[in-house]
């Protein structure tokens, strides 16, 4: 290295991500590190050939998410299994100094479980934290923890590097490091770098903005009502409007895009998956139901699934939204052009890559339809990039406020909580015109949507049934245009012409010769544990209000076939706790469930209806947790004396929490122990895989 030139300090950055959140945060840390003159060697935990923790002499930073019922993401499974080996000595990682950021969601019972597991195991193996562990909650907003955690990380990294060097563990390339231990150009003062006072290089802004009070949407054809609603999003308000702003460092661009007039390569879909026809579509809810529930039957002969398994539907974005986005970007006339991507030669982004989920030279319309999650909630880094492509000074200032540290509360109120996406923002900020490359860099991969199988292959050979509510997002002040869920809206539209009315699920299949039979792309996601007990004599308690009843229909169909084929065998009792708002409109699978009871497959069916008036009679239990309390002795007997299993499926945000609390109270009452001891017993049921959840938020 030439004289006078210094190497940069480094640390190892490892991430485990299921749907891209942890990876995105790791990339943000990496980008900030580059701006501070530090090298972050970033790898996915699955890239074991790229790093060696047994020999690592630099600080290590982990960013890990949790998926399913407290499970590690797929990319971290092998790593977690490896460090949990009981043969590892207690000083295996004695040399390691680490920091860990765990991502989770408090709507789920095992909050940040993967991060906590790695954290505790590293401690057991002798590793030492150089910075307190962060636990970020997606239920209230990851950024609430993530942003201050990253902000404080740099001082901690500096100290860790200094201490590790002083203790005799040399940093990589120490021979080429500045003799003063400072990082940065030799002819610059070091007060902005690791050698002096820490500065994360956040830009300070406090410029008067002409016409600030006149900010508002100027969309052609926008009505006064929409304009007034958008004002809440676009208008600066004190105290933020009067504050100096600390905004994030501009993410380094890394993609060049060319639109070619040559014909794009023929791409049917981005998935090497079966295109499965829908053989039946039935509306399960009656007129006046609060939510519309549909049952779809897929003609699927290749999947070997068990009741309790989930599967993914790979869906496109709304055609109308894609067309509107292309118009807004001025690209409508180029939608059939093929997209050619390449890395910028001058990019400062470390380990930059072309997204692997974008097929080579696909069309522009295909890119937005099948590849990018255009409905994803705008992150602050994306907002920061959009600032650079906003010409109106007032709108530019407002975007700076929304991505700033001072504007965090407004970001939550106007962006995160109402779920604003790119198209929502472009409708409101009319002078914002980002290039295509920025969208490809910031919009995440379009993810499949997961559903639970509502059938048994024993009962429905060659078929796969599932149930869903059509998700509706009503208009709100920040987003005055209503919309449907990406996947449920697409499915509902696709089957609308062949949808059969409510009145039971035993309805006719569609004409097998129908040329326009709807089709979907499907892939199986086998459940590791959410299955019937291998021993059919084990009793089970199932809790599934609303569409949460779906997997239990599969359970009961499967159990009924087993009973028919083994009439001399013994089977454990089965309990189902079901609930909905109205008995006459939303009692899903009512006929089938009552038939299960009549035939002895379902031993106990306990139902509740939260909004029925009671017809002059005394009101019964309102929610499933109330019904559990009414049958506390029987439920306790199944779980505590008969070693039965307890299954919960449905809403994580409210129902699953309330059911968990009810179960703790039931255990405490039946065992005559305090709440802490009851919680330990319930935790033991989870560890034994006798308390299982299939929940969503």
């Amino acid at each position: 290295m030439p004289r006078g030139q210094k190497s940069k300090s480094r640390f190892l950055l490892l991430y485990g991500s299921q749907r891209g959140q942890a990876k995105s945060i790791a990339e943000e840390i990496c980008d900030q590190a580059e701006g501070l003159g530090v090298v972050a060697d970033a790898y996915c935990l699955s890239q074991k050939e790229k790093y060696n923790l047994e020999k690592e002499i630099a600080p290590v930073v982990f960013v890990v998410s949790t998926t399913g019922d407290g499970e590690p993401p797929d990319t971290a499974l092998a790593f977690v299994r490896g460090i949990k080996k009981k043969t590892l000595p207690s000083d295996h990682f004695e040399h390691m100094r680490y920091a860990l950021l765990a991502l989770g969601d408090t709507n789920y019972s095992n909050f940040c479980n993967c991060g906590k597991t790695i954290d505790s195991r590293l401690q057991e193996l002798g590793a030492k934290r150089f910075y307190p562990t962060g636990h970020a909650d997606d239920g209230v907003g990851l950024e609430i923890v993530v942003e201050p955690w990253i902000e404080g990380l740099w001082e901690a990294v500096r100290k860790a590097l200094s201490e590790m060097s002083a203790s005799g563990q040399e940093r990589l390339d120490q021979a080429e490091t500045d003799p003063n231990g400072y990082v940065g150009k030799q002819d610059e003062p070091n007060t902005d770098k690791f050698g002096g006072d820490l500065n994360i290089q956040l830009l300070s802004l406090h410029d008067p903005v002409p016409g600030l009070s006149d900010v508002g949407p100027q969309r052609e054809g926008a009505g006064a009502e929409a304009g007034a609603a958008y004002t809440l999003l676009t208008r600066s308000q004190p105290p933020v409007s009067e504050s100096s702003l600390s905004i994030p460092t501009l993410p380094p661009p890394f993609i060049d895009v060319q639109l070619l007039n040559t014909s794009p390569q023929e791409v049917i879909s981005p998935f090497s998956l079966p295109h499965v026809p829908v053989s039946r579509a039935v509306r399960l809810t009656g007129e006046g139901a609060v939510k519309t529930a549909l049952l779809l039957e897929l003609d699927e002969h290749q999947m070997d699934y068990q009741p309790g398994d989930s599967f993914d539907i790979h869906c496109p974005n709304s055609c109308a939204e894609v067309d509107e986005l292309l118009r807004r970007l001025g690209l409508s006339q180029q939608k059939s052009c093929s997209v050619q991507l390449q890395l910028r030669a001058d990019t400062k982004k470390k380990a930059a890559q072309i997204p692997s989920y974008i097929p080579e030279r696909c069309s522009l319309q295909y890119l937005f339809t099948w590849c990018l999650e255009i409905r994803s909630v705008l992150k602050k880094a994306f907002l920061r990039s959009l600032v650079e492509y906003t010409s109106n000074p007032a709108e530019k200032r407002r975007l700076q406020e929304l991505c700033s540290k001072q504007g965090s509360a407004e970001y939550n109120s106007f962006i995160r909580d109402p779920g604003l996406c790119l198209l929502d923002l472009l409708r409101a900020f009319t002078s914002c015109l980002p290039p295509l490359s920025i969208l490809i860099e910031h919009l995440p991969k379009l993810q499949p949507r997961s559903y639970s199988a509502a059938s048994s292959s024993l009962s429905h050979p060659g078929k796969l049934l599932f149930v869903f509510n059509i998700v509706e997002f009503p208009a709100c002040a920040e987003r005055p245009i209503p919309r449907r869920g990406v996947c449920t809206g697409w499915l509902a539209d696709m089957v609308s012409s062949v949808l059969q009315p409510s009145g039971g699920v035993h309805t006719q299949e569609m004409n097998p010769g129908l040329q326009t039979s709807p089709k979907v792309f499907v892939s199986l996601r086998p459940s590791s544990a959410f299955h019937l007990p291998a021993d059919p004599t084990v009793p089970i308690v199932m809790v599934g209000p609303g569409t949460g009843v779906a997997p239990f229909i599969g359970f009961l169909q499967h159990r009924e076939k087993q009973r028919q084929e083994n009439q001399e065998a013994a089977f454990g009792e089965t309990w189902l706790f079901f609930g909905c708002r109205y008995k006459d409109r939303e009692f899903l699978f009512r006929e089938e469930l009552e038939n299960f009871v009549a035939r002895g497959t379902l031993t106990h069916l306990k139902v509740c209806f939260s909004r029925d008036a009671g017809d002059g009679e005394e009101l019964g239990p309102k929610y499933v947790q109330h019904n559990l309390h009414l049958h506390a002795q029987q439920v306790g007997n199944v779980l505590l004396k008969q070693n039965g299993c307890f299954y919960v499926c449905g809403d994580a945000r409210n129902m699953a929490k309330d059911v968990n609390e009810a179960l703790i109270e039931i255990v405490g009452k039946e065992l005559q122990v305090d709440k802490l001891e009851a919680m330990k017993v319930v935790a033991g049921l989870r560890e034994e895989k006798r308390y299982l959840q299939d929940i969503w938020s």
Side-chain angles (χ1 to χ4, degrees):
M1 181 174 292
R3 182 176 177 81
Q5 201 172 351
K6 298 175 288 294
S7 69
K8 296 180 178 180
S9 300
R10 67 172 286 276
F11 65 93
L12 179 62
L13 176 59
L14 300 175
Y15 62 87
S17 189
Q18 186 70 22
R19 294 182 176 256
Q21 291 270 42
K23 180 181 180 182
S24 177
I25 292 169
E27 289 176 345
E28 181 180 346
I29 293 173
C30 206
D31 291 342
Q32 286 196 26
E34 181 69 22
L36 292 168
V38 191
V39 173
D41 288 336
Y43 305 109
C44 179
L45 281 167
S46 61
Q47 298 176 288
K48 293 187 292 184
E49 72 283 358
K50 299 290 184 69
Y51 64 91
N52 186 344
L53 291 181
E54 281 76 11
K55 297 181 179 180
E56 184 56 63
I57 61 173
V60 184
V61 176
F62 295 88
V63 182
V64 291
S65 62
T66 294
T67 189
D69 190 17
E71 300 298 321
D74 293 342
T75 56
L77 271 172
F79 175 79
V80 173
R81 290 196 192 106
I83 64 173
K84 291 176 77 172
K85 290 179 180 177
K86 296 181 179 180
T87 55
L88 296 177
S90 60
D91 61 351
H92 186 71
F93 287 134
E94 190 175 34
H95 61 285
M96 185 193 297
R97 300 290 304 281
Y98 77 96
L100 189 145
L101 176 61
L103 313 182
D105 189 331
T106 49
N107 291 307
Y108 296 81
S109 54
N110 291 318
F111 175 61
C112 287
N113 189 60
C114 177
K116 291 176 180 178
T117 298
I118 293 174
D119 198 11
S120 62
R121 185 55 178 156
L122 291 178
Q123 294 275 308
E124 292 172 358
L125 295 175
K128 297 178 179 62
R129 296 190 200 98
F130 69 81
Y131 185 50
T133 297
H135 299 97
D137 181 9
D138 201 26
V140 297
L142 293 174
E143 66 281 349
I144 294 173
V145 168
V146 170
E147 290 180 4
W149 192 89
I150 294 177
E151 186 174 344
L153 175 66
W154 307 116
E155 177 67 15
V157 168
R158 181 188 67 80
K159 289 182 178 179
L161 286 166
S162 176
E163 291 170 3
M164 293 175 77
S165 177
S167 66
Q169 297 194 38
E170 296 183 350
R171 285 173 287 179
L172 209 62
D173 300 327
Q174 186 179 7
E176 299 176 356
T177 304
D178 176 73
N180 294 319
Y182 297 146
V183 179
K185 295 182 180 178
Q186 199 167 31
D187 57 353
E188 289 181 346
N190 290 305
T191 54
D192 289 340
K193 300 294 182 178
F194 275 14
D197 296 334
L198 185 69
N199 185 334
I200 306 183
Q201 294 188 325
L202 298 183
L203 182 60
S204 180
L205 298 164
H206 190 37
D207 300 321
V209 180
L212 184 62
S213 60
D214 298 327
V215 179
Q218 302 296 324
R219 294 185 300 121
E220 183 178 352
E225 182 179 349
Y230 276 129
T231 300
L232 295 172
L233 169 66
T234 58
R235 189 184 299 277
S236 297
Q237 299 286 345
V240 177
S241 63
E242 300 170 350
S243 303
S244 295
L245 302 178
S246 297
I247 67 173
T249 303
L250 182 67
F254 62 95
I255 288 179
D256 272 332
V257 183
Q258 283 187 299
L259 295 179
L260 308 177
N261 287 322
T262 56
S263 298
Q265 291 188 6
E266 183 68 21
V267 184
I268 299 175
S269 85
F271 325 114
S272 301
L273 301 169
H275 207 190
V276 180
V278 178
S279 55
R280 188 156 55 106
V282 183
R283 175 172 173 154
L284 296 182
T285 46
E287 293 298 325
V290 176
K291 296 181 180 179
T292 300
L294 304 185
L295 168 75
L296 267 59
E297 179 183 86
L298 306 182
D299 191 7
E300 172 52 66
H301 295 271
Q302 300 178 29
M303 282 190 184
D304 182 18
Y305 72 94
Q306 298 182 54
D309 282 343
S310 297
F311 60 94
D312 285 336
I313 297 289
H314 299 257
C315 61
N317 288 308
S318 160
C319 291
E321 291 179 20
V322 169
D323 289 343
E324 182 182 352
L325 184 57
L326 289 172
R327 285 196 304 272
R328 177 63 178 78
L329 297 171
L331 296 171
S332 292
Q333 300 303 313
Q334 297 165 283
K335 65 182 182 181
S336 297
C337 291
S338 61
V339 180
Q340 181 172 295
L341 306 179
Q342 61 183 23
L343 292 177
R344 293 178 55 147
D346 61 346
T347 184
K348 296 181 179 179
K349 184 177 179 64
K350 186 174 175 61
Q353 292 181 332
I354 299 295
S356 60
Y357 46 83
I358 299 178
E360 186 176 354
R361 295 184 64 177
C362 64
S363 72
L364 181 59
Q365 186 168 37
Y366 181 90
L367 173 75
F368 281 117
T369 302
W370 286 101
C371 303
L372 302 177
E373 187 87 63
I374 65 174
R375 283 274 196 90
S376 62
V377 178
L378 293 158
K379 295 182 179 178
K380 288 189 176 183
F382 197 178
L383 292 176
R384 175 64 185 90
S385 290
L386 293 176
V387 167
E388 303 303 304
Y389 305 99
T390 303
S391 58
N392 180 286
E395 291 186 346
K396 192 182 191 83
R397 163 73 189 199
R398 182 57 175 155
L399 288 176
Q400 290 169 338
E401 292 172 358
L402 290 170
C403 71
S404 71
K405 182 178 180 180
Q406 291 75 15
S408 290
E410 293 195 357
Y411 170 81
N412 288 336
S413 296
F414 298 127
I415 302 289
R416 183 189 178 277
D417 293 345
L420 258 62
C421 65
L422 174 65
L423 191 53
D424 297 322
L425 184 125
L426 294 179
R427 288 167 179 157
F429 291 81
T430 57
S431 74
C432 181
L433 189 62
L436 183 56
S437 58
I438 294 298
L439 274 57
I440 295 173
E441 289 173 1
H442 286 277
L443 290 173
K445 176 184 178 182
L446 177 59
Q447 295 287 349
R449 271 54 175 176
S450 181
Y451 298 91
S452 300
S455 57
S456 163
S457 58
L458 291 182
S459 179
H460 296 272
K463 305 291 184 182
L464 175 63
L465 282 70
F466 68 103
V467 179
F468 62 91
N469 286 323
I470 302 175
V471 179
E472 305 278 358
F473 298 98
C476 62
E478 299 78 22
R479 181 181 36 77
I481 298 177
R483 63 192 185 204
R484 285 179 163 184
V486 173
C487 190
T488 61
W490 172 67
L491 289 171
D493 290 342
M494 184 173 56
V495 303
S496 59
S497 62
V498 295
L499 185 64
Q500 301 174 30
S502 59
V505 296
H506 304 293
T507 48
Q508 296 294 319
E509 287 191 14
M510 288 182 277
N511 183 348
L514 193 65
Q515 295 298 312
T516 57
S517 177
K519 292 183 178 181
V520 295
F521 292 99
V522 182
S523 61
L524 187 62
R525 300 182 65 194
S527 167
S528 58
F530 201 86
H531 293 143
L532 282 166
D535 180 357
T537 65
V538 174
I540 61 174
V541 177
M542 301 167 284
V543 182
T547 57
V549 75
F552 304 132
I553 296 298
F555 278 19
L556 293 168
Q557 289 176 356
H558 199 79
R559 180 57 57 88
E560 186 157 275
K561 280 294 182 180
Q562 288 178 325
R563 283 164 51 88
Q564 291 172 358
E565 295 170 0
N566 302 276
Q567 296 186 12
E568 303 302 319
F571 291 88
E573 62 178 341
T574 53
W575 290 73
L576 175 62
F577 291 85
F578 174 80
C580 60
R581 296 173 186 83
Y582 301 103
K583 181 178 182 179
D584 60 339
R585 303 175 224 175
E586 300 178 351
F587 193 166
L588 308 184
F589 298 101
R590 178 178 180 179
E591 180 183 345
E592 191 164 0
L593 289 172
E594 290 175 346
N595 286 337
F596 283 138
V597 174
R599 293 191 291 266
T601 302
L602 179 56
T603 317
H604 305 281
L605 174 61
K606 303 301 176 183
V607 297
C608 54
F609 310 101
S610 62
R611 297 189 188 176
D612 274 342
D615 297 326
E617 300 178 6
E618 184 179 349
L619 291 177
K622 191 173 184 179
Y623 299 117
V624 287
Q625 63 267 26
H626 301 147
N627 237 338
L628 284 168
H629 278 297
L630 288 178
H631 301 85
Q633 185 175 355
Q634 296 96 319
V635 171
N637 182 60
V638 167
L639 296 178
L640 304 173
K641 296 181 180 178
Q642 300 181 46
N643 291 320
C645 294
F646 190 82
Y647 300 87
V648 181
C649 183
D651 167 50
R653 193 173 298 275
N654 297 305
M655 181 277 297
K657 288 183 177 179
D658 293 337
V659 167
N660 185 71
E661 191 64 29
L663 184 58
I664 291 171
E665 292 175 10
I666 289 170
V667 168
K669 179 181 178 182
E670 295 305 306
L671 294 180
Q672 294 294 298
V673 296
D674 61 21
K675 185 173 183 178
L676 181 60
E677 191 61 34
M679 291 172 68
K680 292 179 181 178
V681 173
V682 171
L685 294 176
R686 291 183 185 277
E687 292 176 6
E688 296 169 13
K689 302 298 182 184
R690 293 200 293 121
Y691 179 7
L692 299 161
Q693 293 179 310
D694 178 6
I695 56 178
W696 57 86
S697 58

